[in-house]
RNA sequence: GCCCCGUUCGUCUAGCGGUUAGGACGCCGGCCUCUCACGCCGGUAGCAGGGGUUCGAGUCCCCUACGGGGUACCA
C-alpha cells in the first residue's frame, strides 16, 4: 500500500537537501544562510528578538551565516538612532551577525533603501518577461472594488516611470510549500490578485524586496513570524516568475502578552531595553526566549547560550502561540545570577543601583564603595532575582536612616525586648572588634540578661536596622550596617514606637 | 465575508494508537532555620466540545466553538 509521505518524512528530506548537504550541481557543501530583517522602528520588540534568536541559533548550530538586513524601504525615519536600537539590542543579548551594518559583507549594501537599482532592474526583467506590468490607475481615490484593468494594456516595452506602480501578472494556480514548522501549506494564487511589486513612488513593496534580496543574498532559510505565512504564496509566485529556487520557510508562532493578546507596546514590557534596564541578564533572557515556542529534547530548562545553540532544532518549534511569563523569566534569571562570578554579580548590582539613583557616577567607581557593594551583594545571596531587586531590598544599606512600616512596630512592644535592644545598641557602639562573632555574642548576651530567648531580639534588631523582616543573617546585617548606624537605628526605632503603645 | 493556522494543568511544555498523561514556573503544605530566600520532601491542577475510524484515541479523520494571522501602492 502506497501512502503519502508523512510531514516528518518530507521535512527530513527537505532538511537533508538544504542543510549542509553536498550540492548536486556544484558538488560543494551548501552553507546555511539566514537573515534577520527588522525595520528600524526605533525599538526592539521582544517578538522580533525571538525571531532574531531562532535565526541566530539555527545559523550558529549549522555553522551557517547570520545576516542582518535593515528593511527601511518605506520608512522615512531611516535614522541612525533607530539602527542603533537594533544593533545595541542584538549585541546586548549576545547575538553577533556575520553580514550586515558595521561588518558589511559580500552581498551588501544591507539597507534596502540603498538597493533601489537592484529592485528596478528586477522589475524591468519581470515586465520584459511579461510576468509584470505597469499600472496606470490612480494610486488613490479609485474605487477599491473596481478591478485594475491595466493588465489588458500590458506591454513588455514599458519602462518603469515615476508615478506608475508595477503589478505582478498573477499566474493563477496554487502555491504550495513545506513549512519546517507549519507543515504542508497550500494557497489559491487567485486570491492575491495582481498585487503591487513597486509602488508608484518607485519603492518596492515588502514582498518584492524580500524575494529580490533573499535571492541576491543567497538566503537558504527564511525564518520569520507566522504573521508572514500568507505572504509566502505571494513570494512563491515571484520566485517562479524569476525562475529562482525558493528558500525553505519556517514560520514561528507569535508571542502573546500576559493577557493572552498579542504582545505589544500596550503590555508595557514588550521592549528589549526594558529588560536590560531592569537588571535582567542577557543570557537569562535568551534562555527564556528560546523556551517560548521551542523545547529542548531533554528536561533541563536552564540552558547557556552554547547549550541552546547545541540543542536547538528548527523542527522542534511548536506551531501555537506562547504567552510571555514574567515569573518564569524571573526564575531563570535568578538561576543565571547564581552562576555569575562575584564581580559580575556586583557589577549587575552597581548598574541597577545607579539606575535607581542609590549610587552616582562618582561613587560607582570608588573602590571602597565597590567593595562594600560586593559584600552587600554576597550577603543578599539569592534574595535578589534581577538587578532592580537589589534596590528594592537593599536600599537601606545605602541610606543613613531607615523607615519602619507601622505594622512592624509590634516588635518593639515588649519591655524585655526594649531593654535588650537598648543594651545591644550601647554595646555595638562600644565594640572594638567588629566581627560577626562579636556581634552575635552581644546580641545573645543582651537577650539573656533581659531574660529573653535570642529570637525576639534578633527579629527586633532586624526590623530596626532594615525596616523589613526579610534579609540575610542578622549578624551579617549588623556588621554591614556598622556599629554607629546600628545603634542609631535601634534607638530611633525605640523612639518611633514608644513603650505601652500598641500599634496594630 | 473569504483564505490560512492554532487549541494538553493558571502559564511554558513532553507526548507522535496501549502512559497511574511526565517535567518546569506559579500556588499550597512540610522539613531546615534568627527572618526571608535557597535547598529538600509532598500536594493542587490539564487533553476545548461533539461525532467517527480502531480491540484500543491526547495522539488519525470530520464538524462545532473559541483564539490568532492575512485579505494595503505597511513591513
Amino acid at each position: 500500500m502506497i501512502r503519502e509521505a508523512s510531514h516528518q518524512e518530507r521535512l527530513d528530506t527537505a532538511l537533508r537537501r538544504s542543510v549542509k548537504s553536498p550540492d548536486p550541481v556544484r558538488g560543494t557543501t551548501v552553507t546555511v544562510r539566514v537573515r534577520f530583517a527588522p525595520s528600524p522602528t526605533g525599538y526592539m520588540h521582544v517578538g522580533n528578538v525571538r525571531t532574531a534568536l531562532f535565526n541566530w541559533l539555527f545559523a550558529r548550530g549549522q555553522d551557517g551565516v547570520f545576516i542582518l538586513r535593515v528593511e527601511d524601504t518605506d520608512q522615512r525615519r531611516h535614522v541612525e538612532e533607530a539602527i542603533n536600537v537594533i544593533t545595541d539590542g542584538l549585541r546586548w543579548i549576545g547575538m553577533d551577525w556575520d553580514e550586515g551594518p558595521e561588518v558589511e559583507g559580500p552581498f551588501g549594501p544591507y539597507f534596502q533603501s540603498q538597493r533601489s537599482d537592484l529592485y528596478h532592474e528586477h522589475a524591468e526583467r519581470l515586465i520584459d518577461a511579461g510576468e509584470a506590468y505597469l499600472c496606470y490607475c490612480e494610486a488613490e481615490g479609485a474605487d477599491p472594488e473596481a478591478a485594475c484593468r491595466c493588465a489588458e494594456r500590458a506591454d513588455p516595452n514599458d519602462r518603469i516611470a515615476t508615478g506608475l506602480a508595477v503589478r505582478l501578472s498573477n499566474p493563477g494556480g496554487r502555491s504550495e510549500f513545506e513549512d519546517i514548522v507549519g507543515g504542508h501549506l497550500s494557497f489559491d494564487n487567485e486570491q492575491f490578485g495582481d498585487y503591487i511589486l513597486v509602488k508608484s513612488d518607485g519603492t518596492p513593496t515588502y514582498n518584492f524586496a524580500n524575494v529580490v534580496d533573499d535571492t541576491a543574498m543567497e538566503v537558504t532559510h527564511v525564518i520569520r513570524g507566522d504573521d508572514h505565512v500568507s505572504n509566502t504564496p505571494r513570494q512563491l509566485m515571484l520566485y517562479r516568475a524569476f525562475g529562482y529556487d525558493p528558500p525553505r520557510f519556517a514560520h514561528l508562532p507569535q508571542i502573546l502578552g500576559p493577557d493572552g493578546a498579542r504582545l505589544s507596546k500596550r503590555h508595557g514590557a514588550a521592549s528589549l531595553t526594558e529588560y536590560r534596564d531592569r537588571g535582567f541578564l542577557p543570557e537569562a533572557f535568551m534562555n527564556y526566549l528560546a523556551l517560548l515556542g521551542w523545547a529542548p529534547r531533554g528536561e533541563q530548562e536552564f540552558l547557556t547560550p552554547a547549550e541552546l545553540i547545541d540543542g536547538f532544532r528548527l523542527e522542534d518549534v511548536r506551531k501555537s502561540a506562547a504567552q510571555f511569563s514574567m515569573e518564569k523569566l524571573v526564575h531563570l534569571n535568578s538561576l543565571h545570577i547564581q552562576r555569575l562570578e562575584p564581580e559580575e554579580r556586583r557589577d549587575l548590582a552597581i548598574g541597577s543601583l545607579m539606575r535607581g539613583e542609590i549610587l552616582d557616577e562618582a561613587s560607582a567607581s570608588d573602590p571602597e564603595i565597590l567593595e562594600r557593594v560586593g559584600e552587600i551583594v554576597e550577603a543578599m545571596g539569592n534574595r535578589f532575582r534581577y538587578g532592580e531587586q537589589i534596590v528594592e531590598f537593599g536600599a537601606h544599606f545605602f541610606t543613613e536612616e531607615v523607615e519602619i512600616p507601622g505594622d512592624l512596630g509590634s516588635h518593639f512592644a515588649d519591655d524585655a525586648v526594649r531593654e535588650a535592644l537598648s543594651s545591644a545598641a550601647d554595646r555595638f557602639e562600644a565594640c572594638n572588634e567588629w566581627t560577626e562573632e562579636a556581634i552575635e555574642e552581644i546580641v545573645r548576651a543582651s537577650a539573656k540578661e533581659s531574660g529573653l530567648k535570642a529570637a525576639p531580639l534578633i527579629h527586633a534588631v532586624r526590623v530596626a536596622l532594615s525596616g523589613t523582616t526579610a534579609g540575610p543573617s542578622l549578624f551579617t546585617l549588623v556588621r554591614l550596617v556598622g556599629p554607629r548606624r546600628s545603634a542609631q537605628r535601634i534607638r530611633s526605632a525605640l523612639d518611633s514606637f514608644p513603650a505601652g503603645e500598641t500599634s496594630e
Side-chain angles (χ1 to χ4, degrees):
Chain A
M1 175 180 129
I2 299 169
R3 65 186 179 85
E4 216 188 320
S6 71
H7 167 52
Q8 190 57 50
E9 285 161 347
R10 283 189 300 243
L11 204 56
D12 289 346
T13 307
L15 283 171
R16 223 175 293 128
R17 199 168 51 230
S18 53
V19 179
K20 273 288 200 179
S21 59
D23 184 316
V25 179
R26 287 177 292 186
T28 54
T29 297
V30 177
T31 302
V32 163
R33 292 176 58 83
V34 297
R35 86 300 199 272
F36 172 53
S39 58
T41 56
Y43 89 125
M44 269 295 251
H45 187 274
V46 168
N48 290 140
V49 177
R50 206 275 307 260
T51 298
L53 176 61
F54 282 21
N55 271 283
W56 183 79
L57 289 175
F58 181 66
R60 292 292 169 260
Q62 301 286 334
D63 289 321
V65 175
F66 178 57
I67 304 165
L68 174 59
R69 181 174 77 217
V70 181
E71 308 232 329
D72 55 353
T73 52
D74 190 62
Q75 316 290 338
R76 265 205 181 73
R77 41 197 179 149
H78 165 207
V79 285
E80 203 62 30
E81 192 44 46
I83 304 301
N84 289 342
V85 171
I86 293 167
T87 54
D88 288 351
L90 290 177
R91 254 193 295 270
W92 175 71
I93 201 166
M95 291 188 254
D96 54 331
W97 53 103
D98 308 300
E99 293 177 26
E102 298 176 24
V103 298
E104 299 311 321
F107 298 92
Y110 294 91
F111 288 89
Q112 288 191 328
S113 58
Q114 294 167 22
R115 315 182 112 241
S116 310
D117 291 350
L118 191 66
Y119 305 133
H120 288 167
E121 194 184 305
H122 278 74
E124 297 279 6
R125 213 206 288 178
L126 287 186
I127 293 171
D128 289 346
E131 301 282 359
Y133 59 87
L134 286 174
C135 177
Y136 297 89
C137 297
E138 289 290 324
E140 291 171 78
D143 179 356
E145 295 298 307
C148 171
R149 300 196 187 287
C150 301
E152 294 158 17
R153 299 204 263 148
D155 181 350
N157 295 315
D158 275 347
R159 290 284 81 105
I160 291 184
T162 41
L164 297 179
V166 178
R167 285 180 185 275
L168 172 80
S169 285
N170 191 305
R174 298 191 74 79
S175 285
E176 309 200 31
F177 65 104
E178 221 47 56
D179 192 286
I180 297 173
V181 174
H184 185 77
L185 265 19
S186 174
F187 297 82
D188 178 3
N189 287 336
E190 220 65 71
Q191 65 182 303
F192 304 112
D194 288 357
Y195 73 91
I196 303 280
L197 267 23
V198 180
K199 295 177 244 178
S200 52
D201 67 359
T203 59
T205 56
Y206 166 77
N207 286 303
F208 186 65
N210 247 259
V211 170
V212 172
D213 287 340
D214 285 341
T215 302
M217 294 181 182
E218 296 180 12
V219 168
T220 57
H221 299 255
V222 171
I223 304 168
R224 74 234 294 196
D226 69 6
D227 47 333
H228 287 298
V229 291
S230 54
N231 279 321
T232 311
R234 281 179 253 254
Q235 296 175 6
L236 252 11
M237 285 190 273
L238 275 174
Y239 282 106
R240 189 160 72 180
F242 281 122
Y244 296 148
D245 281 336
R248 296 272 296 143
F249 293 94
H251 288 98
L252 276 19
Q254 306 271 298
I255 294 180
L256 275 21
D259 59 353
R262 190 177 173 175
L263 189 64
S264 71
K265 289 164 264 254
R266 206 166 44 71
H267 291 101
S271 169
L272 219 220
T273 50
E274 296 176 44
Y275 295 93
R276 184 188 61 197
D277 292 350
R278 293 185 65 182
F280 283 91
L281 294 172
E283 59 269 37
F285 197 75
M286 179 187 282
N287 189 170
Y288 178 65
L289 232 40
L291 260 22
L292 241 30
W294 170 79
R297 294 196 172 171
E299 295 221 309
Q300 184 186 327
E301 290 191 325
F302 174 93
L303 298 163
T304 62
E307 290 170 327
L308 288 172
I309 289 170
D310 192 50
F312 184 76
R313 299 283 182 288
L314 213 39
E315 58 270 36
D316 288 346
V317 173
R318 280 176 58 89
K319 292 168 91 160
S320 53
Q323 216 170 297
F324 191 96
S325 163
M326 187 62 97
E327 287 74 30
K328 188 134 186 183
L329 201 215
V330 168
H331 170 253
L332 281 172
N333 199 64
S334 166
L335 259 31
H336 278 90
I337 284 183
Q338 296 318 305
R339 244 181 79 108
L340 254 31
E341 292 298 320
E343 315 84 66
E344 296 174 312
R345 204 155 35 232
R346 181 200 61 195
D347 291 343
L348 176 70
I350 296 278
S352 293
L353 288 167
M354 285 174 70
R355 198 173 299 282
E357 295 179 348
I358 302 288
L359 291 181
D360 56 27
E361 197 86 32
S363 49
S365 53
D366 179 331
E368 254 180 66
I369 291 181
L370 240 45
E371 197 192 324
R372 178 171 162 73
V373 172
E375 278 192 282
I376 290 167
V377 167
E378 288 318 295
M380 295 284 284
N382 54 20
R383 269 164 282 251
F384 73 105
R385 315 215 290 171
Y386 52 95
E388 214 172 59
Q389 288 191 328
I390 194 81
V391 176
E392 191 180 333
F393 303 142
H396 62 266
F397 284 114
F398 302 93
T399 55
E400 187 58 28
E401 315 249 305
V402 66
E403 200 171 315
I404 301 170
D407 60 336
L408 295 183
S410 54
H411 285 277
F412 311 106
D414 184 82
D415 284 337
V417 169
R418 299 180 68 85
E419 182 186 289
L421 239 18
S422 161
S423 153
D426 291 344
R427 295 188 201 188
F428 284 157
E429 270 180 328
C431 184
N432 49 20
E433 184 207 8
W434 195 245
T435 63
E436 290 185 25
E437 291 70 30
I439 293 164
E440 177 162 7
E441 243 175 79
I442 291 175
V443 172
R444 293 195 187 280
S446 300
K448 195 171 184 184
E449 285 167 24
S450 299
L452 290 167
K453 289 203 165 211
L457 178 59
I458 284 173
H459 296 151
V461 173
R462 176 187 303 287
V463 170
L465 263 56
S466 66
T468 169
T469 57
S473 158
L474 191 266
F475 312 119
T476 305
L477 173 67
V478 175
R479 176 173 65 81
L480 290 170
V481 172
R484 197 198 94 250
R485 279 196 304 174
S486 292
Q488 175 191 311
R489 286 181 185 182
I490 288 172
R491 294 190 184 112
S492 157
L494 254 13
D495 286 348
S496 305
F497 301 95
E501 282 189 25
T502 318
S503 41
E504 29 46 278

